[in-house]
Amino acid sequence: MSSITTNVASIAALQTLRLLNSSLRTTEGVVSSGMRVETASDNAAYWSIATTMRSDRAAVSAVRNALDIGASVVDMSYEAMDHVKDVLSEMRAKLVTANDASVDKSKIQEEISQLAQSTVSIAAAASFNGVNWLTTNIHDLYEAIPSDRSAKLTSSFVRGADGTVSVGATMFDLINTSLFNSEGDGILQGDPRSPGTIGGIRPYENWLTPDIGNDYQPNYPIAGMPATLLQYIPYTVVGDDDVPTPIVFSNTDTITFDITIDGDDPSQGLAGPLNPGITTTGITIDYALVNSVAGASIDNATEMVAVLNAAFQAKGIDTLVSASRPMIHPSGAPPYPDPAHYEIMTLENSGLDGSQVQISNFSSTINVGSLGDANSYGILGSLIPLTFEPFKVFKDVVIDFTFGVSGEPTETHAIDRNTVNAILGTTDGWVNTADDMVTILEALITRPNTIIEANGSSILVRSDPLDDRLNGGKTDIGFTNMSVNVEPIPEMGVLDIDIEKYPGAVNSYLNSVDIMLARVTSGTAALGALKKRIDLQASHTETMIDAISSGVGRLVVADMEEESTRLGALQTQQQLALQSLSIVNSAPQALLSLFG
């Protein structure tokens, strides 16, 4: 049915044209911008994701720039460290040359001084954009926590699953590269962490002592004095020398006596039963013995020693006789006069606890000085004197040692910062006084009846004499198997080397430079590893930037081939819609013409 008031077909065609025009405008916008989702109204979810990822891509790009700066700092530090390594190698070669006694050490010192100064210059110049990892300003370098002495390099941007973001950082401990620190302790300035004598329990000499380096005797037992009987033969004082008077034997001269060794001392308060020792009777020295050993006369203490030893050996006695130079008016320089003194001591192989030497029933037809009836006992119990020196236990230092007495099972101990602080109730690791050291040793040593006493700067560690029945040379007490985990360390810096002033310390300097060279090499290797890590991180960051761009594109970028095809189709449909609208509009005109 046709109507002159309502053209239903025209309305339908117009609606179709409007829809086509809207789709056409949308498609034309996509084609012109290249974006499938350009505004939130296009697709709110995709638009939100894309906007967030674009922001993340900018952040990752900033990380990439930061990595470039970090790589430049590392490169600068690496090249400088590598150069310092070469300088130290040359310095070490100079010190090896200085070991030759014929070289002019003053000339070599001039070269070493120049090399040392060059390390300062290299370290100071190793700066990029004001950042220097070789010349540092770190308070208490070895005591600082790693985070306080570390360089921080931005290395990543991370968005968590919960939407939170964080910036990742690579930390590099500058203790690996600090050659010169404002407060000291740099690699080329000497390491302060040596505990020295460890309060006196190990022998230790500083770096200026010739040929000492970091070597020391790990065992330090001091036994109680063995029982000795000091004897004299007649002597005459001439000027500054002691000139012995010969003892001339005739065919009828004899010396006889008995000797007792290794008996217990009743006066020392030991619980019984006491051992009386081993007695040998009838020791005889006559013309035949003297003549076979020393000739017709005994001219000095050396010959007296030979005669007595021959007499003791003939009886199978477990003793030793030794000679010593004069104790009064000694000559100021060699050649020394003939020894005027000798001593008789027990070798203490009898198996008895005592350390006694007794001469009894002495009889002589000739003057032999003070040789005669006498009795001497060794010191009861073990003891060791310690000369205390203050020391600090650094946070990363561990001191290990064993303690033992007279062949008993030893006990092993360790001293570290926590041990010192817990025992002394402090926080800084310092052992400042002999009393502090006594407190530490008393807390650690568990052997019963061990007495540890302080007197000023001296400490005496001993076994209780009433508990330890051993005497003399059989006694033994000490700290053994000493080790400090950070040693060996250089105790002086390159600027302290002076072989002209301290020619005897060449080996010590050489050892220290060798250790410094090893540390610089290690630091250079650490920088090389960091450089590799930064390169890998930078490459990964580039990949991340590309991946984010690709991901955003998948969400919001239009497929231009598809959109172009759609645009052409929509344009064709638009033409058809216009033709349809024209056709449906012509029908009412034809109807109206019938009434004309």
Side-chain angles (χ1 to χ4, degrees):
M1 182 186 75
S2 298
S3 172
I4 61 173
T5 60
T6 303
N7 190 340
V8 176
S10 177
I11 292 172
L14 185 60
Q15 288 176 340
T16 300
L17 182 60
R18 288 195 187 101
L19 291 173
L20 287 172
N21 285 339
S22 176
S23 296
L24 185 61
R25 284 194 300 272
T26 299
T27 302
E28 286 176 340
V30 170
V31 171
S32 63
S33 67
M35 302 298 294
R36 180 161 58 93
V37 179
E38 186 173 10
T39 65
S41 61
D42 295 334
N43 188 318
Y46 279 15
W47 178 85
S48 176
I49 295 172
T51 301
T52 299
M53 293 309 296
R54 287 192 189 99
S55 175
D56 288 356
R57 181 176 58 190
V60 173
S61 180
V63 169
R64 178 67 180 86
N65 294 334
L67 286 170
D68 287 340
I69 296 174
S72 299
V73 174
V74 172
D75 287 343
M76 178 69 75
S77 302
Y78 178 89
E79 294 301 329
M81 288 284 282
D82 192 56
H83 194 182
V84 169
K85 175 174 64 66
D86 294 339
V87 173
L88 289 177
S89 295
E90 188 173 351
M91 188 179 297
R92 182 174 60 178
K94 298 296 182 185
L95 289 169
V96 170
T97 302
N99 264 313
D100 188 340
S102 64
V103 301
D104 186 343
K105 288 184 172 54
S106 64
K107 299 299 183 184
I108 295 180
Q109 179 59 41
E110 289 181 10
E111 295 180 284
I112 291 175
S113 296
Q114 292 300 322
L115 291 171
Q117 288 296 333
S118 72
T119 63
V120 178
S121 300
I122 294 168
S127 176
F128 183 85
N129 193 33
V131 178
N132 192 320
W133 288 2
L134 275 61
T135 300
T136 58
N137 182 23
I138 301 172
H139 174 61
D140 212 351
L141 183 61
Y142 280 102
E143 290 289 85
I145 60 176
S147 60
D148 289 343
R149 67 188 185 203
S150 294
K152 184 177 180 180
L153 299 176
T154 299
S155 58
S156 63
F157 174 82
V158 180
R159 179 177 291 279
D162 59 355
T164 59
V165 297
S166 61
V167 177
T170 298
M171 306 298 289
F172 183 77
D173 195 337
L174 294 182
I175 203 168
N176 294 305
T177 57
S178 177
L179 302 182
F180 296 97
N181 189 51
S182 59
E183 294 185 6
D185 303 348
I187 294 174
L188 302 186
Q189 293 175 295
D191 194 323
R193 293 175 294 167
S194 172
T197 67
I198 315 177
I201 68 175
R202 77 169 175 184
Y204 184 85
E205 299 177 75
N206 64 39
W207 58 269
L208 289 177
T209 303
D211 303 326
I212 183 65
N214 286 294
D215 296 329
Y216 55 84
Q217 293 297 324
N219 300 325
Y220 192 39
I222 294 183
M225 292 294 293
T228 62
L229 184 63
L230 188 63
Q231 301 293 336
Y232 303 85
I233 64 172
Y235 67 90
T236 302
V237 177
V238 179
D240 289 333
D241 295 339
D242 291 335
V243 179
T245 300
I247 304 173
V248 181
F249 273 73
S250 68
N251 289 331
T252 59
D253 287 325
T254 60
I255 301 172
T256 60
F257 58 89
D258 302 334
I259 188 168
T260 300
I261 62 170
D262 296 349
D264 289 327
D265 184 358
S267 68
Q268 291 180 322
L270 293 173
L274 301 180
N275 196 299
I278 299 173
T279 299
T280 303
T281 61
I283 309 298
T284 302
I285 299 173
D286 56 17
Y287 175 81
L289 179 63
V290 172
N291 190 54
S292 66
V293 175
S297 64
I298 301 175
D299 296 325
N300 52 54
T302 301
E303 293 184 355
M304 187 66 170
V305 165
V307 170
L308 285 171
N309 278 328
F312 293 150
Q313 289 170 10
K315 288 286 189 176
I317 301 172
D318 188 29
T319 56
L320 173 68
V321 185
S322 63
S324 62
R325 288 196 296 270
M327 301 174 71
I328 303 175
H329 305 297
S331 175
Y336 296 107
D338 290 330
H341 311 113
Y342 62 93
E343 58 190 5
I344 302 172
M345 69 178 69
T346 172
L347 293 178
E348 300 183 334
N349 294 324
S350 65
L352 302 179
D353 290 341
S355 183
Q356 177 193 21
V357 175
Q358 180 182 20
I359 292 178
S360 58
N361 300 320
F362 179 83
S363 175
S364 177
T365 62
I366 192 171
N367 180 15
V368 288
S370 60
L371 180 61
D373 288 342
N375 191 16
S376 178
Y377 291 93
I379 297 174
L380 182 66
S382 302
L383 61 89
I384 178 173
L386 309 176
T387 300
F388 175 79
E389 294 179 0
F391 67 102
K392 177 181 180 179
V393 180
F394 282 71
K395 289 181 179 178
D396 58 346
V397 171
V398 180
I399 302 165
D400 292 296
F401 65 91
T402 58
F403 174 78
V405 177
S406 299
E408 299 174 4
T410 59
E411 51 187 80
T412 301
H413 299 288
I415 299 175
D416 59 14
R417 169 64 68 83
N418 292 334
T419 302
V420 172
N421 289 344
I423 293 174
L424 299 181
T426 56
T427 59
D428 57 5
W430 270 102
V431 183
N432 290 300
T433 66
D435 288 331
D436 287 344
M437 190 66 186
V438 167
T439 301
I440 291 173
L441 293 177
E442 286 180 335
L444 295 178
I445 294 174
T446 60
R447 180 191 180 276
N449 301 307
T450 300
I451 300 171
I452 307 172
E453 303 167 316
N455 182 15
S457 63
S458 298
I459 300 172
L460 187 66
V461 181
R462 59 191 177 93
S463 59
D464 187 337
L466 298 182
D467 169 69
D468 188 354
R469 294 181 66 99
L470 296 179
N471 277 253
K474 290 185 288 292
T475 63
D476 181 59
I477 188 169
F479 301 87
T480 59
N481 301 318
M482 197 76 58
S483 69
V484 181
N485 64 319
V486 297
E487 291 178 346
I489 56 178
E491 295 183 55
M492 89 295 288
V494 291
L495 299 178
D496 300 317
I497 297 175
D498 193 339
I499 63 173
E500 182 179 7
K501 185 176 181 180
Y502 303 107
V506 171
N507 282 341
S508 295
Y509 290 132
L510 181 59
N511 289 335
S512 291
V513 169
D514 194 58
I515 296 169
M516 286 186 278
L517 178 58
R519 291 187 177 184
V520 169
T521 301
S522 177
T524 306
L527 286 171
L530 179 61
K531 183 176 184 298
K532 180 65 175 179
R533 177 178 176 178
I534 290 176
D535 289 343
L536 292 173
Q537 195 71 34
S539 176
H540 175 67
T541 302
E542 292 284 3
T543 302
M544 285 184 62
I545 293 173
D546 294 342
I548 292 173
S549 298
S550 176
V552 171
R554 290 191 183 96
L555 294 177
V556 300
V557 174
D559 183 338
M560 296 305 293
E561 293 180 354
E562 179 182 343
E563 296 300 332
S564 295
T565 301
R566 180 179 291 111
L567 178 62
L570 288 172
Q571 288 174 339
T572 300
Q573 291 176 24
Q574 183 188 46
Q575 293 298 320
L576 292 175
L578 288 172
Q579 292 177 8
S580 298
L581 182 62
S582 176
I583 292 171
V584 296
N585 284 335
S586 65
Q589 294 296 328
L591 182 61
L592 290 173
S593 64
L594 297 176
F595 300 96

